[in-house]
C-alpha cells in the first residue's frame, strides 16, 4: 500500500475535516430537498497519490458513512467510490466532467456527480441530491485545505497577517 503523499493532509486530517463538516451535513439532511435517503457516504483521496503514483484503492485516505449501513436502500459507498474515481482520474469536479467534458469518461465511469477537486483535494459524496453531494464534498475539501494552510503556518511557513493564537 502506498504511504500518504501529503505532509499536511493525512488520514487524521481527513477524519478531522469530516468531523468538522458533520454538524452541517446532519442539519442539512433534515431537509427533504437535500435528499430523502437519510444516508450518506464520503470518500477522501490523498492529494499527492494520483493515478500515476498508486492504485485508486491505495489513494483512498479516508471513508465515512452517515446513517446505519444495514438500512441502506442503495450502495452509497459504491456510488461515492465511482464519483471519486472520475474526479481523481481527471482532476476535475464530477459535474464538470459530466456536463462539459464527457469525452473524458470511460465506458466504466459513472454518470453520477457529487465529487469535487479543490486545489488537487478530491472528495466525493453520495446519498443526497447531486448538488448537495457536491456541497458536502466541497465542505470537507475546504476544511482539508484550511487545515493544510494552518499546518504550514504553524510550522513557520507561509505569510499570515494575523496573530498566532497558539
Amino acid at each position: 500500500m502506498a504511504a500518504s503523499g501529503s505532509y499536511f493532509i493525512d488520514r487524521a486530517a481527513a477524519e478531522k475535516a469530516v468531523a468538522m463538516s458533520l454538524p452541517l451535513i446532519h442539519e442539512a439532511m433534515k431537509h427533504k430537498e437535500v435528499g430523502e435517503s437519510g444516508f450518506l457516504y464520503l470518500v477522501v483521496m490523498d492529494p499527492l497519490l494520483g493515478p500515476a503514483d498508486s492504485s485508486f484503492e491505495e489513494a483512498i485516505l479516508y471513508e465515512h458513512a452517515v446513517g446505519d449501513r444495514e438500512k441502506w436502500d442503495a450502495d452509497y459507498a459504491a456510488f461515492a467510490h465511482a464519483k471519486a474515481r472520475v474526479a481523481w482520474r481527471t482532476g476535475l469536479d464530477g459535474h464538470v466532467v459530466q456536463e462539459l467534458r464527457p469525452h473524458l469518461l470511460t465506458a466504466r465511469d459513472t454518470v453520477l456527480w457529487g465529487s469535487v477537486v479543490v486545489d488537487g483535494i478530491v472528495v466525493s459524496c453520495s446519498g443526497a441530491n447531486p448538488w448537495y453531494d457536491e456541497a458536502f464534498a466541497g465542505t470537507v475539501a475546504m476544511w482539508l485545505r484550511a487545515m493544510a494552510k494552518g499546518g504550514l503556518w504553524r510550522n513557520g511557513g507561509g505569510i499570515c497577517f494575523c496573530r498566532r493564537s497558539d
Side-chain angles (χ1 to χ4, degrees):
M1 184 170 186
S4 174
S6 177
Y7 181 72
F8 292 110
I9 299 177
D10 58 8
R11 180 179 171 86
E15 286 183 56
K16 185 175 181 180
V18 168
M20 298 292 280
S21 303
L22 284 176
L24 175 145
I25 291 169
H26 286 300
E27 186 62 31
M29 288 176 67
K30 294 177 184 176
H31 303 276
K32 291 287 186 196
E33 67 269 16
V34 171
E36 296 187 21
S37 76
F39 308 109
L40 205 70
Y41 200 80
L42 293 155
V43 176
V44 179
M45 305 299 292
D46 189 303
L48 289 182
L49 293 181
D53 308 307
S54 69
S55 70
F56 173 76
E57 292 76 16
E58 290 173 328
I60 295 172
L61 197 56
Y62 182 66
E63 302 177 67
H64 183 81
V66 175
D68 183 359
R69 289 183 77 164
E70 297 295 318
K71 297 179 181 176
W72 280 7
D73 58 344
D75 190 349
Y76 297 107
F79 295 152
H81 281 115
K83 294 175 184 185
R85 186 183 299 274
V86 170
W88 176 74
R89 184 176 52 75
T90 65
L92 299 167
D93 292 358
H95 191 237
V96 170
V97 175
Q98 301 300 328
E99 293 296 322
L100 301 176
R101 301 212 171 84
H103 56 280
L104 297 178
L105 292 169
T106 69
R108 296 178 57 187
D109 286 337
T110 184
V111 292
L112 302 173
W113 55 279
S115 58
V116 298
V117 182
V118 176
D119 294 338
I121 300 167
V122 176
V123 181
S124 72
C125 181
S126 190
N129 287 316
W131 43 93
Y132 291 111
D133 282 344
E134 184 179 71
F136 297 151
T139 300
V140 173
M142 293 301 289
W143 271 114
L144 281 167
R145 188 174 77 171
M147 291 164 59
K149 288 179 179 183
L152 178 65
W153 182 65
R154 280 188 300 282
N155 284 294
I159 298 172
C160 183
F161 299 102
C162 52
R163 291 183 155 182
R164 291 183 190 247
S165 60
D166 51 2

